[in-house]
Amino acid sequence: MASTPDGAGPGQHSARPAAVPTASLTRAALSRRHALRALSGLGLGAAGLTLPACSFTKGQKTITPISVGKKPAPGRDINIEMYSLWGSTTGQGLVDLAAAYEAKQDKVGVRITYGGATSSGGYEQDKLFTAIAGNQPPDIAQLVPVQTSQWENLGIMTDLTDWIEADGIKSSDFLGPAWHDMNVNGRIYQMQWDADPNFPFFYNKVLFEKSGLDPDKPPTTIDEITEYSKKILRKSGGRVTKIGIVPWDQYGMSNSVFTWGWAFGGSFYDDKTGAITPDNEYVVKALEWICNFAKSVGGASNVSISPPGLTLHPISGGNLGMSGLVTTNYTDIVKAKPTNVKLGSALWPYQKPGNDKPGAGAWIGGWAAFIPKGSKHPKEAYDFLKWFSATPEGTNLAYKGAGFPPAYVHSPALKALKADKNLRPYYDVLYSTDHSRPAMPVGSFYATQIDEHAAKALFGQTTPLQAMRTVKENTEKEFARFKKQVKQ
């Protein structure tokens, strides 16, 4: 992959376009009306931005109510402001990152303001949208990559393309799914500085051996998952007490459907045509497999396994054979060292004929940063944004402090992740998948629909095919509504 030229140092600027002027009530500029709608129900507020995030950190929870911020360094010519969603260790990591940037130059100071989030996944950012609607936006703000198309359509994001091209930053400098999500119609509106790997496939070698399975032979296909699960399954009084996997509970129903759908070879959205395809043959097959698995154990509500503590994932109890794990859960289990659990890892199993390679079910999430329209110092904001998103030094410091692995492939942080024997499975995911959540303006609504209707199929209230057809119909209607209201 091509290396990225550093260009001018932090705080100094190579040939880049002038600041984008703020216009009033046009699609290309901030619209107070649209921003307020985003808060009041255009599929962007409480109903539309609640898709759970699966954040990668090195054993730290990422969203806390504890405010962490900083004032800009004194004596600077220009001060920029960045909203942060994080408190605790992660929030302090961003504060330290801003201080390191300030130490590299003496022109620009960075204020970190705790932006807060009104949902555990950070999708609802009332403080940010209130600031945007009041024409007082920060210079840099955070978003989940799947929101990019939605927020660009609202006209609240600054186009970064000319700056990025002037700096020689290319698609080969970023992980494929991240670069894909940075773009809307060939223009770049955000820089993804965090790539969450969702998910490595973990299995309990102790339970495998007790069940007569080879502890050094994880399943490579979904058929093998089914086969292994039959050997692990145990019941007591009609209740399931040991189970191979809980396929409908890979961090929520929509995350489960996305993961298994891709593992089967399905597709959820066509970027070129705009087709919304939850009723794709292989997505439906994936949901059918989930539902049939539930029936085979007596129903989803018949599973009675629990972790030894509220903070640990159920696999830590020794009664669950296989699962995807985000890093917080995995590292907590490693630290707890339960005697009946020894975790092995593999790439996510696949299923023919739709797929033929391990890892196809995995996908990349994460966090990105953008410059809101109306920023008072967009050039300076871009320089800081580029430094912590697309330079070896900045991305490495972001990883060390905030604990998030970068999407920038030339970062020393990825080498550190690869060398870490505990976290290596997450590195493998980053380089084995081409997927991220559907990058469309109503992507969060889409996922919420999958949550609702796939759950109905799981409990026998509808068929998998009908569930996915309903998801398609409702999401198409919401997409049409979104486009109509944004044009008004």
Coordinates of all heavy atoms in Angstrom, one line a residue, residues 335-375:
K335 N -8.5 -11.5 32.1 CA -8.1 -11.0 33.4 C -8.7 -11.9 34.5 O -8.0 -12.2 35.5 CB -8.4 -9.6 33.6 CG -7.7 -8.6 32.8 CD -8.2 -7.2 32.9 CE -7.5 -6.2 32.0 NZ -8.1 -4.8 32.2
A336 N -9.9 -12.3 34.4 CA -10.6 -13.1 35.4 C -10.1 -14.5 35.5 O -10.2 -15.1 36.6 CB -12.1 -13.1 35.1
K337 N -9.6 -15.1 34.4 CA -9.0 -16.4 34.4 C -9.9 -17.5 35.0 O -9.6 -18.2 35.9 CB -7.7 -16.4 35.1 CG -6.6 -15.5 34.5 CD -5.3 -15.6 35.3 CE -4.3 -14.7 34.7 NZ -3.0 -14.7 35.5
P338 N -11.2 -17.6 34.4 CA -12.1 -18.6 34.9 C -11.5 -20.0 34.7 O -10.9 -20.3 33.6 CB -13.3 -18.4 34.2 CG -12.9 -17.6 32.9 CD -11.8 -16.8 33.3
T339 N -11.6 -20.9 35.6 CA -10.9 -22.2 35.5 C -11.5 -23.1 34.5 O -10.9 -24.1 34.0 CB -10.9 -22.9 36.9 OG1 -12.3 -23.1 37.3 CG2 -10.1 -22.1 37.9
N340 N -12.8 -22.9 34.2 CA -13.5 -23.8 33.2 C -13.5 -23.2 31.8 O -14.3 -23.7 31.0 CB -14.9 -24.1 33.7 CG -15.7 -22.9 33.9 OD1 -15.2 -21.7 33.9 ND2 -17.0 -23.0 34.1
V341 N -12.7 -22.2 31.6 CA -12.7 -21.6 30.2 C -11.2 -21.4 29.8 O -10.4 -20.9 30.5 CB -13.4 -20.2 30.3 CG1 -13.3 -19.5 28.9 CG2 -14.8 -20.4 30.7
K342 N -11.0 -21.9 28.5 CA -9.7 -21.6 27.8 C -10.1 -21.2 26.4 O -10.6 -22.1 25.7 CB -8.8 -22.8 27.9 CG -7.4 -22.5 27.2 CD -6.5 -23.7 27.2 CE -5.2 -23.4 26.5 NZ -4.3 -24.6 26.5
L343 N -10.0 -19.9 26.1 CA -10.5 -19.5 24.8 C -9.5 -19.7 23.7 O -8.3 -19.3 23.8 CB -10.8 -18.0 24.9 CG -12.0 -17.6 25.8 CD1 -12.2 -16.1 25.8 CD2 -13.3 -18.3 25.4
G344 N -10.0 -20.2 22.6 CA -9.3 -20.3 21.3 C -10.0 -19.3 20.4 O -11.1 -18.9 20.6
S345 N -9.3 -19.0 19.3 CA -9.9 -18.0 18.4 C -9.7 -18.4 16.9 O -8.8 -19.2 16.6 CB -9.3 -16.6 18.6 OG -8.0 -16.6 18.2
A346 N -10.6 -17.9 16.1 CA -10.5 -18.2 14.6 C -11.2 -17.1 13.9 O -11.9 -16.3 14.5 CB -11.2 -19.6 14.4
L347 N -11.1 -17.1 12.6 CA -11.9 -16.3 11.8 C -13.3 -16.8 11.7 O -13.6 -18.0 11.9 CB -11.3 -16.2 10.3 CG -10.0 -15.5 10.2 CD1 -9.5 -15.6 8.8 CD2 -10.0 -14.0 10.7
W348 N -14.3 -15.9 11.5 CA -15.7 -16.3 11.5 C -16.0 -17.3 10.5 O -15.6 -17.2 9.3 CB -16.5 -15.0 11.3 CG -17.9 -15.2 11.8 CD1 -19.0 -15.7 11.2 CD2 -18.4 -14.9 13.2 NE1 -20.1 -15.8 12.0 CE2 -19.7 -15.3 13.2 CE3 -17.7 -14.4 14.3 CZ2 -20.5 -15.1 14.4 CZ3 -18.5 -14.2 15.4 CH2 -19.8 -14.5 15.5
P349 N -16.7 -18.4 10.9 CA -17.1 -19.5 9.9 C -18.0 -19.0 8.8 O -18.7 -18.0 9.0 CB -17.8 -20.5 10.8 CG -17.2 -20.3 12.2 CD -17.0 -18.8 12.3
Y350 N -17.9 -19.7 7.7 CA -18.7 -19.2 6.5 C -19.6 -20.4 6.1 O -19.6 -21.5 6.7 CB -17.8 -18.9 5.4 CG -16.9 -20.1 4.9 CD1 -17.4 -20.9 3.8 CD2 -15.8 -20.5 5.5 CE1 -16.7 -22.0 3.4 CE2 -15.0 -21.6 5.1 CZ -15.5 -22.3 4.0 OH -14.8 -23.4 3.6
Q351 N -20.4 -20.1 5.1 CA -21.3 -21.2 4.6 C -21.4 -21.1 3.1 O -21.7 -20.1 2.5 CB -22.7 -21.0 5.2 CG -23.7 -22.1 4.9 CD -23.2 -23.5 5.4 OE1 -22.6 -23.5 6.5 NE2 -23.5 -24.5 4.7
K352 N -21.2 -22.3 2.5 CA -21.4 -22.4 1.0 C -22.9 -22.6 0.8 O -23.6 -23.0 1.6 CB -20.6 -23.6 0.5 CG -19.1 -23.4 0.6 CD -18.4 -24.6 0.0 CE -16.9 -24.4 0.0 NZ -16.1 -25.6 -0.5
P353 N -23.4 -22.3 -0.5 CA -22.6 -21.9 -1.6 C -22.4 -20.3 -1.7 O -21.7 -19.9 -2.6 CB -23.5 -22.3 -2.8 CG -24.9 -22.2 -2.2 CD -24.8 -22.6 -0.8
G354 N -23.0 -19.6 -0.8 CA -22.9 -18.1 -0.9 C -21.5 -17.6 -0.6 O -21.1 -16.6 -1.1
N355 N -20.8 -18.3 0.3 CA -19.5 -17.9 0.7 C -18.5 -19.0 0.7 O -18.9 -20.2 0.9 CB -19.5 -17.2 2.1 CG -19.0 -15.8 2.0 OD1 -18.0 -15.5 1.3 ND2 -19.6 -14.9 2.7
D356 N -17.2 -18.7 0.6 CA -16.2 -19.8 0.6 C -14.9 -19.4 1.3 O -13.9 -20.0 1.0 CB -15.9 -20.2 -0.9 CG -15.3 -19.0 -1.7 OD1 -15.2 -17.9 -1.1 OD2 -15.1 -19.2 -2.9
K357 N -15.0 -18.4 2.2 CA -13.8 -18.0 2.9 C -14.1 -17.7 4.3 O -15.1 -17.0 4.7 CB -13.1 -16.9 2.2 CG -13.8 -15.5 2.3 CD -12.8 -14.4 1.9 CE -13.5 -13.0 2.1 NZ -12.6 -11.9 1.8
P358 N -13.2 -18.1 5.3 CA -13.4 -17.8 6.7 C -13.3 -16.3 6.9 O -12.5 -15.6 6.1 CB -12.2 -18.5 7.4 CG -11.8 -19.6 6.4 CD -12.1 -19.1 5.1
G359 N -14.0 -15.7 7.8 CA -13.9 -14.3 8.1 C -14.9 -13.5 7.4 O -15.0 -12.3 7.7
A360 N -15.6 -14.1 6.5 CA -16.6 -13.3 5.7 C -17.7 -12.6 6.5 O -18.3 -11.6 6.1 CB -17.1 -14.1 4.6
G361 N -18.0 -13.2 7.6 CA -19.0 -12.6 8.5 C -18.6 -11.5 9.3 O -19.5 -10.8 9.9
A362 N -17.3 -11.2 9.4 CA -16.8 -10.1 10.2 C -17.0 -8.8 9.5 O -17.2 -8.7 8.3 CB -15.4 -10.3 10.6
W363 N -17.0 -7.7 10.3 CA -17.2 -6.4 9.7 C -16.5 -5.4 10.6 O -16.0 -5.7 11.7 CB -18.6 -6.1 9.6 CG -19.5 -6.4 10.8 CD1 -20.0 -7.6 11.1 CD2 -20.0 -5.5 11.8 NE1 -20.7 -7.6 12.2 CE2 -20.8 -6.3 12.7 CE3 -19.9 -4.1 12.0 CZ2 -21.4 -5.7 13.8 CZ3 -20.5 -3.6 13.1 CH2 -21.3 -4.4 13.9
I364 N -16.3 -4.2 10.1 CA -15.6 -3.1 10.8 C -16.6 -2.0 11.2 O -17.4 -1.5 10.3 CB -14.5 -2.5 9.9 CG1 -13.4 -3.6 9.8 CG2 -13.9 -1.2 10.5 CD1 -12.2 -3.1 8.9
G365 N -16.6 -1.6 12.4 CA -17.3 -0.5 12.9 C -16.4 0.6 13.3 O -15.4 0.8 12.6
G366 N -16.6 1.3 14.4 CA -15.7 2.3 14.8 C -16.2 3.7 15.0 O -17.4 3.9 15.0
W367 N -15.3 4.6 15.0 CA -15.6 6.1 15.2 C -14.9 6.9 14.1 O -13.8 6.6 13.7 CB -15.3 6.5 16.6 CG -16.2 6.0 17.6 CD1 -15.9 4.9 18.4 CD2 -17.4 6.5 18.0 NE1 -17.0 4.7 19.2 CE2 -17.9 5.6 19.0 CE3 -18.2 7.6 17.6 CZ2 -19.2 5.9 19.6 CZ3 -19.4 7.8 18.2 CH2 -19.9 6.9 19.2
A368 N -15.5 8.0 13.7 CA -14.9 8.9 12.8 C -15.1 10.3 13.3 O -15.8 10.6 14.2 CB -15.6 8.8 11.4
A369 N -14.4 11.2 12.7 CA -14.5 12.6 13.1 C -14.7 13.5 11.8 O -14.2 13.1 10.7 CB -13.2 13.1 13.8
F370 N -15.4 14.6 11.9 CA -15.7 15.4 10.8 C -15.7 16.9 11.2 O -15.6 17.2 12.4 CB -17.1 15.1 10.2 CG -18.3 15.5 11.0 CD1 -19.0 16.6 10.6 CD2 -18.6 14.9 12.2 CE1 -20.1 17.0 11.3 CE2 -19.7 15.3 12.9 CZ -20.5 16.4 12.5
I371 N -15.7 17.8 10.3 CA -15.7 19.2 10.5 C -17.1 19.7 10.2 O -17.6 19.7 9.0 CB -14.7 19.9 9.6 CG1 -13.3 19.4 9.9 CG2 -14.8 21.5 9.8 CD1 -12.2 20.0 9.0
P372 N -17.9 20.1 11.2 CA -19.3 20.6 10.9 C -19.2 21.9 10.0 O -18.3 22.7 10.1 CB -19.8 20.9 12.3 CG -19.0 20.1 13.2 CD -17.6 20.1 12.6
K373 N -20.2 22.0 9.2 CA -20.4 23.2 8.4 C -20.6 24.4 9.4 O -21.3 24.2 10.4 CB -21.6 23.2 7.5 CG -21.5 22.3 6.3 CD -20.6 23.1 5.2 CE -20.5 22.3 3.9 NZ -21.8 22.1 3.3
G374 N -20.0 25.5 9.2 CA -20.0 26.6 10.1 C -18.8 26.7 11.0 O -18.7 27.6 11.8
S375 N -17.9 25.7 10.9 CA -16.7 25.8 11.7 C -16.0 27.1 11.4 O -15.8 27.5 10.3 CB -15.8 24.6 11.3 OG -14.4 24.8 11.7

